[in-house]
């Protein structure tokens, strides 16, 4: 009985945590600004279009 309860709790945690992590990752990706990225590094000036 205890093993099945632990399995059920583990499954419930996966079903809650999985979509939460995926949603957060999608939110972070969407939060990035559109346009161009300009950076200065050891190889000089770099301009990348997004």
């Amino acid at each position: 009985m205890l093993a099945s309860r632990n399995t059920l709790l583990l499954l419930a945690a996966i079903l809650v945590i999985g979509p939460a992590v995926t949603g957060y990752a999608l939110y972070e990706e969407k939060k990035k600004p559109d346009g161009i990225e300009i950076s200065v590094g050891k190889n000089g000036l770099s301009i990348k279009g997004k």
Side-chain angles (χ1 to χ4, degrees):
M1 179 77 178
L2 184 61
S4 65
R5 176 175 275 178
N6 287 342
T7 304
L8 183 61
L9 288 175
L10 178 64
L11 182 61
I14 290 171
L15 290 175
V16 169
I17 294 172
V21 170
T22 303
Y24 180 74
L26 290 173
Y27 168 75
E28 286 295 318
E29 184 66 30
K30 192 172 185 177
K31 195 170 78 168
K32 292 181 181 177
D34 293 335
I36 61 171
E37 177 182 333
I38 302 172
S39 60
V40 179
K42 63 181 178 180
N43 295 331
L45 184 64
S46 173
I47 302 174
K48 296 179 185 178
K50 291 186 175 183

